[in-house]
Amino acid sequence: MGQFILNRILSGIIVIFGISVFSFLLIHFIPGDPVKIMLGQNATPEAIKQLNENLGLDKPLLVQYTTYITNVLQGDFGTSLKTGRPVITEILDRFPETVKLAAAGIFIAIVIGITLGIIAARFKSSFIDSGVMMLATLGVSIPSFWLAILLIMVFSVKFTWFPIAEGTGLRDLVLPAVTIGVLASTMISRLTRNGMVETLSNDFIRTARAKGLEERIILFRHALRNVLIPVVTLIGLQMAALLGGTVIIEQVFNWPGLGTLAIGAISSRDFPLIQGTVLFMGVVYVMINILIDVIYGIIDPRIDLSAKEAR
Amino acid sequence: MTNSRCTKFFALLMVLLMAMFVSVGCSSEKESSGEAKKTDNTSNSDNTSGNTPQKGGTLTIGYAEEPDSLDVQKTGMMIGSIVGSNFGGSLISMHPKTKEFVPNLAESFDISDDGLTLTFKIRPNITFSDGTPLTAKNYKETFDRALDPATGATIIPGQFKQVKEILAPDDSTLIIKLNEPSAPFLVNLSDPGYMQPLSLAAIKKEGDNYGRNPVGVGPFKFKEWKTGQSITLERNNDFKWPAPFFKNQGSAYPDQLVYKFIKDYQTMIAALDSGSIDVAYGIAGKDVDRYENNNKYQVFEMDRQGIGLFLEMNTENEALKDKIVRQAVNTAINKEAIVQAVLNGKGRVAHGPIPASFFGYDPDVEKYDYKYNIDKAIKLLESDGWSKNDKGIMEKDGKELSFNLMILDRWNQPSQMVQAMLKDIGISIKIQALEAGALIEKAASGDFDMTFMGYFGVDPDSLYTFLHSSQINVMNHSRVNNPELDSLLDKGRKTIDLEERKKVYFEAQKLIVDEAYWVPIYSEKQYHVANKRVHGITQAFNGLLFQDSWVSK
């Protein structure tokens, strides 16, 4: 197990290295002189030279990258061109809000998704089943901004139950979290249902039923545990994606998370901030993935992680 | 069987969703009473007559952009100055109605006859919110800081180019000496955001953090900045030095002023509708009718300060070098149709390079500008030796009149209209949508045929930036190099006598229109919408003022 985790971390580091190279090169992909674009047309030649030196753009690429990565390792992601504050401060200001939103959204997704999945499986081929699966299809096809705007129009504007763009308190959290939850639940419910249907047709379930066990115990104790593995993977992946900032949902609900930070950075051509957020999101994504692999082993002891790796 | 159930279920769901939409739609209809359209162009809009102002409450303002910094000298964003104006003030202010300059933080001011020496007497007993008294020396230090290259100030160095020296012979006297008379200087000086006095003690104390914890002399003081969300200011109870044109000569009424940053326009509208914000800046013309017809809201309408859309032609282009071609392009564009289609009619046709709302606008331009006339445009080209080839495009010596037109995404609709209009006279246009930075860079280096552009300003001196030969490779995208125009634009800067200055710009306008460097298209109207729970908003030429404002609870 220890060996496996080590391997996963090592491969994670390689991926992160790749991301760092990519985010570093980002600034060099810009057509034209990035410094001129950053400073605008009225920039004096001195200012251009100054920024070129500050960003180290006058040095060879390899030297630039080494400096960049050394600084990053020391926690220095550079300085935001717009606000003049350290990039890491800007990111850490926003990250907790994104975590809050992602956690609340995933929580709602799990509750809705697993509940609906179990119900659909329990009443397989009935109208309840097709209804739930219809909902899931609908959920996958609804664009997130559409659902977001619909919820705002109904619950903020018409009924004024939940505020819009007021802050990041519990009441503010409800609508964006429900939007994320509803959309993310669709995949979960589908996966849960299919897994359950498959598991429920197994011999051991038939045995359990024959023993006269309560349906509740069969569903939750015997069947659900077997279904959880792919579901947890999915949830993990969704969580990782959400932690990168749900750009559209954050934008529509004016949620001050990483997504809106990234959008703002792009629209104000704040390159150090763009680089920083890309790298940060990448690291988070990789770390969550490693975490999921570890959780596997805990949920299902049958998975011998080191053995799988050795194969 | 399952299928038909699904279909039924789906149909039911759609009906439910539609019902939801209809009910939402209805509610906003219901609210609109038959109250007469109220578009307040005058200054004070107290809607509940007989109500006396109440202290307390929070006034919340929605704005699309978040400032970079509240160090007003370092901010490069308009919103930095707008928020800053609430904790700042200016030596002089422009009266919102008469547009005359009145003393504000200065109790009096004097301009020497040659226009070179400006003397201000600082009003006594003004203090910064940290308790430091305001003196002429503060002001001198403030401006010195802005002019020190190490500060990296954004706006003041450009606006103070003509300043020779700044003196503070005693605590109450501030003297600004200019190298040459400058008419726009007073306008610039009246900005309570950028031009406010700063407490050097506070700047020193806060260091790098000053931009997020500023100190000023205004009616509000800085309280909190929630990154990505809002800036909260609280009332400065010691404040008793507002500009003389306000009714309220004491401290502000609301306890707090909150600027909320809402980037998404639809969210801004929803926040206004749900009452999360009281005032929304920058509501589009297409949405304004809904608020005008709703007695819960008040609408403030103002002309854009500048030309919102004009077409620049590169005078170094082989074909566009020819004035007659440029005039034909001007004659072929139906500006009225563009205003109707793009702005829903909420804007004015731009006849010349200066908008009607500016000083120095010559109404005669409406007579001598190019009237939309396809036949005339075609004749112009034909008289110049152009003739339509078999593709229907004007051609001369084997060269076709076909151009690239650079646009930003938001100018998609007008660009297609211009494309169709120019096609009618045999000019072929290829539209090229670019990202703003790339467009500006290409425009500045002259790497284009035609480009759309817009500008904000307060004074006709803006033309200097766009058309003076010294600005080639910067903002003079059309690469105009016309000594006669140069001398007019120089003269306009230095002439203090208003009547004479006006004449200079009249002449410049005529010349620019005749040379047809641009096709000025429109100046759109701009709208700010406020909930009627906010009373006493003053409309100034470039924004809203809240000194007389109070909120009902």
Side-chain angles (χ1 to χ4, degrees):
Chain A
M1 176 100 179
Q3 178 63 38
F4 165 75
I5 292 177
L6 203 68
N7 283 342
R8 291 295 289 120
I9 290 176
L10 275 179
S11 62
I13 288 175
I14 294 171
V15 174
I16 290 173
F17 169 74
I19 298 170
S20 77
V21 171
F22 171 76
S23 73
F24 164 77
L25 285 177
L26 214 55
I27 201 164
H28 297 276
F29 291 149
I30 307 159
D33 184 349
V35 170
K36 262 196 187 157
I37 295 177
M38 285 182 228
L39 290 176
Q41 288 306 312
N42 292 322
T44 58
E46 298 89 67
I48 291 174
K49 194 163 163 267
Q50 179 76 39
L51 187 60
N52 253 317
E53 278 171 19
N54 286 356
L55 295 176
L57 291 175
D58 47 350
K59 302 203 182 71
L61 267 187
L62 197 64
V63 177
Q64 286 185 43
Y65 178 74
T66 326
T67 327
Y68 173 68
I69 207 70
T70 318
N71 288 339
V72 164
L73 286 177
Q74 290 163 358
D76 176 8
F77 282 63
T79 310
S80 159
L81 292 178
K82 185 184 164 201
T83 64
R85 298 204 304 160
V87 166
I88 193 70
T89 313
E90 296 284 352
I91 292 175
L92 292 182
D93 260 10
R94 304 298 191 95
F95 190 54
E97 302 300 343
T98 289
V99 173
K100 206 183 335 176
L101 183 57
I106 282 291
F107 176 74
I108 294 177
I110 292 173
V111 172
I112 300 180
I114 293 190
T115 314
L116 288 186
I118 292 174
I119 292 176
R122 171 71 185 78
F123 301 100
K124 190 180 147 240
S125 303
S126 73
F127 75 96
I128 295 180
D129 182 20
S130 46
V132 167
M133 285 306 105
M134 194 63 223
L135 263 183
T137 312
L138 200 67
V140 173
S141 19
I142 288 178
S144 56
F145 68 89
W146 186 85
L147 181 62
I149 290 173
L150 184 73
L151 290 178
I152 291 174
M153 287 191 26
V154 175
F155 296 105
S156 294
V157 176
K158 183 158 167 57
F159 295 120
T160 58
W161 290 346
F162 299 104
I164 172 76
E166 285 227 326
T168 58
L170 201 59
R171 280 183 65 218
D172 302 280
L173 190 58
V174 174
L175 291 185
V178 166
T179 311
I180 292 177
V182 167
L183 297 178
S185 73
T186 54
M187 298 275 281
I188 298 178
S189 64
R190 195 162 273 271
L191 208 60
T192 310
R193 179 208 172 259
N194 293 349
M196 287 291 274
V197 166
E198 204 188 308
T199 314
L200 286 176
S201 65
N202 275 342
D203 286 345
F204 72 91
I205 298 284
R206 220 168 296 137
T207 313
R209 286 213 172 107
K211 276 200 307 190
L213 278 183
E214 264 181 71
E215 190 67 17
R216 188 169 48 90
I217 294 176
I218 295 173
L219 276 180
F220 291 96
R221 179 115 25 105
H222 294 262
L224 188 58
R225 276 194 70 165
N226 285 286
V227 177
L228 275 185
I229 303 223
V231 174
V232 168
T233 318
L234 177 68
I235 292 171
L237 286 176
Q238 285 180 332
M239 188 71 191
L242 289 176
L243 284 181
T246 43
V247 173
I248 292 171
I249 290 171
E250 286 187 5
Q251 180 90 351
V252 174
F253 287 99
N254 214 42
W255 193 263
L258 277 188
T260 41
L261 181 72
I263 290 273
I266 291 166
S267 68
S268 58
R269 282 184 282 276
D270 192 340
F271 294 106
L273 191 53
I274 299 174
Q275 280 182 334
T277 35
V278 168
L279 185 57
F280 187 84
M281 288 174 183
V283 171
V284 168
Y285 197 91
V286 169
M287 281 185 354
I288 300 249
N289 269 296
I290 296 176
L291 207 66
I292 299 168
D293 287 346
V294 175
I295 292 179
Y296 274 171
I298 298 168
I299 304 184
D300 190 346
R302 278 178 315 176
I303 299 182
D304 184 350
L305 296 164
S306 47
K308 183 177 120 196
E309 195 64 15
R311 223 187 313 151
Chain B
M1 187 190 120
T2 323
N3 238 343
S4 84
R5 266 184 196 149
C6 286
T7 328
K8 263 186 208 160
F9 177 78
F10 190 68
L12 188 71
L13 203 81
M14 287 321 286
V15 170
L16 277 173
L17 284 176
M18 273 190 239
M20 225 143 117
F21 263 128
V22 171
S23 73
V24 171
C26 281
S27 73
S28 47
E29 291 302 317
K30 251 184 274 164
E31 280 158 12
S32 43
S33 73
E35 205 204 35
K37 257 194 177 187
K38 185 185 158 296
T39 320
D40 212 341
N41 267 324
T42 55
S43 95
N44 253 313
S45 67
D46 213 328
N47 303 292
T48 38
S49 45
N51 268 358
T52 44
Q54 303 164 1
K55 281 240 171 188
T58 299
L59 205 172
T60 309
I61 299 160
Y63 203 91
E65 306 278 338
E66 179 173 6
D68 43 0
S69 163
L70 286 181
D71 183 333
V72 288
Q73 295 188 341
K74 290 187 184 175
T75 178
M77 301 175 75
M78 185 106 77
I79 179 66
S81 167
I82 290 177
V83 176
S85 66
N86 293 294
F87 56 76
S90 47
L91 286 164
I92 50 172
S93 295
M94 194 193 265
H95 193 291
K97 269 187 198 155
T98 64
K99 300 200 175 176
E100 280 168 357
F101 292 107
V102 294
N104 186 357
L105 296 182
E107 58 181 350
S108 65
F109 67 100
D110 178 66
I111 302 170
S112 66
D113 291 340
D114 59 4
L116 291 176
T117 308
L118 288 72
T119 310
F120 302 90
K121 281 276 171 218
I122 307 292
R123 197 156 151 170
N125 305 324
I126 294 178
T127 53
F128 287 95
S129 58
D130 67 354
T132 330
L134 173 70
T135 61
K137 190 168 151 270
N138 279 127
Y139 245 117
K140 179 179 155 45
E141 285 173 350
T142 298
F143 291 146
D144 285 348
R145 173 180 185 258
L147 295 173
D148 179 358
T151 307
T154 47
I155 302 291
I156 295 185
Q159 296 188 340
F160 271 45
K161 272 200 180 115
Q162 315 87 336
V163 171
K164 192 164 133 202
E165 61 177 334
I166 301 165
L167 303 167
D170 59 62
D171 270 1
S172 64
T173 314
L174 180 75
I175 299 170
I176 301 179
K177 290 199 168 163
L178 305 177
N179 282 320
E180 52 191 36
S182 165
F185 189 71
L186 284 185
V187 182
N188 296 338
L189 210 55
S190 70
D191 186 308
Y194 293 125
M195 295 291 170
Q196 64 179 286
L198 303 179
S199 158
L200 274 268
I203 292 172
K204 207 169 163 192
K205 194 176 133 214
E206 291 291 332
D208 282 348
N209 194 36
Y210 177 78
R212 296 180 77 86
N213 192 14
V215 167
V217 296
F220 289 90
K221 45 190 181 182
F222 176 81
K223 187 179 172 199
E224 188 189 17
W225 184 341
K226 285 192 197 149
T227 308
Q229 296 181 61
S230 59
I231 290 176
T232 303
L233 309 173
E234 61 184 355
R235 179 173 56 227
N236 175 4
N237 285 317
D238 300 326
F239 180 81
K240 42 183 179 291
W241 42 87
F245 47 77
F246 288 113
K247 280 187 218 152
N248 173 20
Q249 287 292 312
S251 62
Y253 296 121
D255 291 338
Q256 295 197 106
L257 198 58
V258 177
Y259 280 88
K260 214 164 254 175
F261 310 113
I262 305 177
K263 214 168 176 71
D264 188 90
Y265 177 74
Q266 290 305 330
T267 310
M268 175 89 89
I269 298 256
L272 181 67
D273 290 346
S274 72
S276 286
I277 57 173
D278 300 315
V279 181
Y281 269 87
I283 296 297
K286 67 181 165 58
D287 292 314
V288 132
D289 288 342
R290 192 159 73 84
Y291 293 107
E292 277 178 343
N293 295 327
N294 185 332
N295 59 8
K296 264 175 72 185
Y297 298 96
Q298 45 192 325
V299 173
F300 298 90
E301 175 187 307
M302 38 197 90
D303 285 317
R304 179 195 172 104
Q305 299 293 309
I307 305 283
L309 182 67
F310 56 97
L311 185 148
E312 291 180 319
M313 289 178 260
N314 187 343
T315 57
E316 283 178 4
N317 175 291
E318 203 53 48
L320 294 173
K321 208 190 265 175
D322 183 351
K323 176 167 141 184
I324 296 176
V325 174
R326 299 197 302 264
Q327 289 178 331
V329 169
N330 264 278
T331 313
I333 307 262
N334 183 351
K335 301 173 188 179
E336 186 54 46
I338 298 178
V339 168
Q340 288 307 329
V342 178
L343 302 175
N344 273 3
K346 311 249 182 211
R348 290 193 201 208
V349 162
H351 299 277
I354 297 179
S357 57
F358 273 22
F359 167 85
Y361 172 77
D362 181 2
D364 273 357
V365 72
E366 290 154 36
K367 289 182 211 133
Y368 66 69
D369 72 339
Y370 302 93
K371 305 284 178 300
Y372 171 59
N373 186 335
I374 295 183
D375 294 338
K376 197 174 159 195
I378 293 176
K379 281 200 188 99
L380 262 173
L381 288 175
E382 284 169 352
S383 73
D384 198 32
W386 299 89
S387 56
K388 275 193 186 172
N389 62 17
D390 46 4
K391 281 183 279 176
I393 297 171
M394 287 288 183
E395 192 182 297
K396 180 161 99 176
D397 307 332
K399 280 207 178 105
E400 287 183 348
L401 281 187
S402 80
F403 305 107
N404 257 331
L405 170 62
M406 301 197 298
I407 60 160
L408 301 179
D409 267 341
R410 63 186 147 106
W411 290 322
N412 217 338
Q413 197 189 357
S415 71
Q416 287 170 9
M417 294 183 75
V418 164
Q419 185 183 40
M421 287 166 187
L422 289 179
K423 196 174 168 219
D424 288 344
I425 65 162
I427 296 180
S428 139
I429 295 289
K430 226 175 96 194
I431 297 169
Q432 187 186 15
L434 292 171
E435 181 269 337
L439 183 138
I440 299 268
E441 198 181 353
K442 284 187 114 173
S445 58
D447 180 16
F448 73 104
D449 305 332
M450 293 178 173
T451 183
F452 272 172
M453 193 54 57
Y455 79 86
F456 271 106
V458 282
D459 187 271
D461 186 50
S462 295
L463 295 182
Y464 186 95
T465 333
F466 281 102
L467 295 162
H468 193 277
S469 64
S470 68
Q471 303 298 311
I472 291 177
N473 286 331
V474 193
M475 293 287 273
N476 183 350
H477 304 145
S478 291
R479 306 180 92 71
V480 174
N481 192 346
N482 182 336
E484 193 188 347
L485 183 57
D486 279 358
S487 83
L488 281 171
L489 294 174
D490 282 329
K491 205 168 152 196
R493 285 202 147 178
K494 292 175 197 164
T495 310
I496 292 289
D497 183 82
L498 291 183
E499 272 314 302
E500 209 178 311
R501 186 163 188 253
K502 210 184 249 177
K503 277 189 207 131
V504 173
Y505 285 111
F506 281 14
E507 226 177 295
Q509 260 164 104
K510 182 123 202 211
L511 182 62
I512 295 165
V513 170
D514 181 59
E515 288 288 339
Y517 300 124
W518 297 355
V519 185
I521 300 177
Y522 61 65
S523 284
E524 70 274 28
K525 294 228 179 275
Q526 297 195 308
Y527 298 93
H528 307 319
V529 177
N531 194 309
K532 280 200 180 159
R533 77 183 272 272
V534 184
H535 309 262
I537 298 174
T538 308
Q539 179 169 358
F541 72 100
N542 58 352
L544 303 176
L545 306 173
F546 299 103
Q547 175 61 21
D548 288 335
S549 299
W550 55 280
V551 290
S552 352
K553 292 187 193 118

